[in-house]
Amino acid sequence: MRDVMKTEEYREHKVDAAGWEVNLKSYRVGDVFHCVADNVSPGAWLARATGSTRDEAENKALTEATRLLGKTRRHSITT
Amino acid sequence: MNDYAHPDSLVSTEWVAAHAADPNVRIVEVDVDNTAYEEGHVPGAISWAWNTQLCDTVRRDILSRRAFEQLMEESGIGNDTRVVLYGDNNNWFAAWAFWQMAMYGHKDVQLMNGGRRMWLAEGRELSDERPNPRRARYKAGEPDLSFRAFRPQVESAFEMGRAFLVDVRSPQEFTGEILAPPGLPETCQRGGHIPSARNIPWAKACNEDGTFKDYDALKRLYSSEGIDGSRPVIAYCRIGERSSHTWFVLKYLLGYNSVSNYDGSWTEWGNLVGAAVERGAPQMAHA
């Protein structure tokens, strides 16, 4: 039987990345911080990362999310 | 949850925490893949990946009846097992699994309200152990295709006004400004929406914490766009998972009788040669 794990220090906050709003969810499980970066609209996760600190996990997730979001093309709307 | 048309289609995180070890209950985390599950999951939960286990991986389709039966059997799910589904992205893919289980006639299936996000936010227990369920026996019925819309039904919906179309994608996808959710691969040749569709993004059905809004709020949300249950409704998105979420809301929380999910969604419609497409802001709601 393994040790029971719990999420602690759960936090969410929104930041801008490559012109898109991103929701960063981060929390600690044991000694490891996890971060998930979601696009706010529509709400799909883009990147997940871990780190020994919250900042490290968030920075890694945000870097990957920014890379992906930078590929998003905006099209002119012609009817 | 008592105001919903079918309140027994939802369970709370508290309920799951109390029943996760119940041998008659199977908890399943459902996501696009297993990544989130591997980080830690509800103790006792097994994992289903949308991209490999909940679709036909050769042709674009739902699982065949036999493949569905095999998945249930390997998951230790019998016809009478109570199944609780949850996942990331506010239960998008869990709703897809719910939709497919309902189509194949499984009676006792529920979503965990708030999904993985709420479980984590509440600081509940996690496990990294992968249960190995004892194989069960399962017999599925023929799929109830009234839960599913195909392209000809969608065409007649807007050409003959036979059903309301609800596009549950983001406004930027709806208008054609972007061809996929930001950061995700473009999977269509054209942007925009199916003519006559109303744009009611899936997330409007949820509270900030990811739980579903109450019955009255949901009723107001959809009624304000003319979706009041008086006519059939077809929901669609990009690949059919977000629209499974809205399908669940309309059918199980509001209790509308005739609701179907067009799982071909924009990846089908936006690639069709000669298909009618509208771009720009939504038109006025139907009278």
Side-chain angles (χ1 to χ4, degrees):
Chain A
M1 190 71 179
R2 300 184 191 186
D3 292 340
V4 171
M5 305 186 295
K6 283 191 173 185
T7 52
E8 298 178 271
E9 302 178 53
Y10 185 92
R11 186 179 85 177
E12 294 189 25
H13 66 115
K14 293 182 174 62
V15 298
D16 179 90
W20 299 96
E21 196 173 22
V22 169
N23 189 41
L24 291 178
K25 296 182 287 196
S26 59
Y27 52 91
R28 182 172 62 79
V29 179
D31 295 332
V32 178
F33 278 90
H34 295 253
C35 180
V36 183
D38 299 333
N39 53 35
V40 169
S41 178
W45 72 264
L46 296 169
R48 317 180 84 93
T50 56
S52 57
T53 65
R54 187 191 301 273
D55 280 351
E56 182 188 354
E58 286 190 349
N59 285 336
K60 283 159 68 173
L62 188 56
T63 298
E64 176 61 6
T66 303
R67 186 186 71 79
L68 293 169
L69 289 166
K71 295 180 176 178
T72 304
R73 299 186 300 164
R74 293 182 191 262
H75 302 260
S76 62
I77 302 167
T78 52
T79 54
Chain B
M1 301 179 194
N2 291 332
D3 292 338
Y4 297 134
H6 300 283
D8 55 348
S9 60
L10 283 176
V11 291
S12 65
T13 51
E14 290 85 354
W15 189 94
V16 172
H19 293 84
D22 186 332
N24 297 315
V25 176
R26 174 69 62 214
I27 313 290
V28 189
E29 176 158 339
V30 192
D31 284 311
V32 62
D33 57 27
N34 292 325
T35 308
Y37 178 85
E38 299 292 349
E39 292 176 359
H41 47 265
V42 173
I46 61 168
S47 171
W48 289 344
W50 174 84
N51 60 355
T52 57
Q53 291 174 282
L54 293 172
C55 303
D56 186 312
T57 55
V58 177
R59 64 177 190 176
R60 187 170 178 211
D61 211 340
I62 61 169
L63 293 176
S64 68
R65 188 169 78 167
R66 185 62 202 130
F68 178 80
E69 288 173 338
Q70 286 177 340
L71 177 65
M72 296 302 112
E73 290 173 354
E74 290 164 2
S75 302
I77 295 171
N79 288 76
D80 296 327
T81 304
R82 185 174 194 171
V83 179
V84 176
L85 307 167
Y86 77 97
D88 220 351
N89 292 1
N90 274 96
N91 281 333
W92 288 0
F93 294 97
W96 170 279
F98 187 110
W99 170 68
Q100 213 162 149
M101 291 190 77
M103 229 184 316
Y104 278 115
H106 195 88
K107 301 294 183 199
D108 202 354
V109 55
Q110 300 166 305
L111 288 182
M112 183 175 83
N113 203 8
R116 178 179 173 89
R117 177 187 184 182
M118 173 156 271
W119 188 269
L120 297 178
E122 291 177 338
R124 295 188 179 277
E125 286 187 16
L126 292 175
S127 172
D128 60 1
E129 292 189 79
R130 298 181 66 98
N132 188 19
R134 186 175 170 188
R135 192 176 183 91
R137 290 176 62 85
Y138 197 94
K139 184 71 176 168
E142 287 296 325
D144 183 346
L145 295 180
S146 70
F147 293 179
R148 192 181 191 196
F150 293 91
R151 181 162 56 90
Q153 294 159 264
V154 176
E155 288 167 342
S156 68
F158 82 84
E159 289 172 353
M160 306 178 76
R162 287 187 171 153
F164 283 116
L165 289 167
V166 180
D167 185 322
V168 313
R169 297 174 300 161
S170 67
Q172 289 156 313
E173 293 171 273
F174 181 84
T175 60
E177 181 186 348
I178 58 178
L179 301 189
L184 298 183
E186 293 180 351
T187 52
C188 59
Q189 291 288 317
R190 294 290 182 272
H193 55 268
I194 301 171
S196 83
R198 320 308 311 162
N199 184 213
I200 310 176
W202 71 273
K204 289 191 173 182
C206 291
N207 297 307
E208 190 65 27
D209 65 3
T211 57
F212 290 104
K213 288 180 177 173
D214 64 36
Y215 178 89
D216 290 338
L218 292 173
K219 188 82 177 169
R220 280 195 303 275
L221 168 65
Y222 292 99
S223 295
S224 70
E225 290 286 346
I227 313 295
D228 59 5
S230 61
R231 285 166 61 188
V233 183
I234 299 172
Y236 76 93
C237 57
R238 182 177 69 128
I239 56 173
E241 91 292 30
R242 282 178 277 175
S243 46
S244 302
H245 188 278
T246 296
W247 169 86
F248 174 83
V249 170
L250 295 172
K251 191 163 189 69
Y252 286 86
L253 303 187
L254 290 179
Y256 294 172
N257 282 325
S258 183
V259 187
S260 54
N261 180 25
Y262 172 39
D263 57 302
S265 276
W266 195 253
T267 46
E268 177 171 78
W269 197 270
N271 286 310
L272 286 174
V273 174
V277 171
E278 283 182 354
R279 283 184 175 162
Q283 308 298 306
M284 295 297 290
H286 291 269

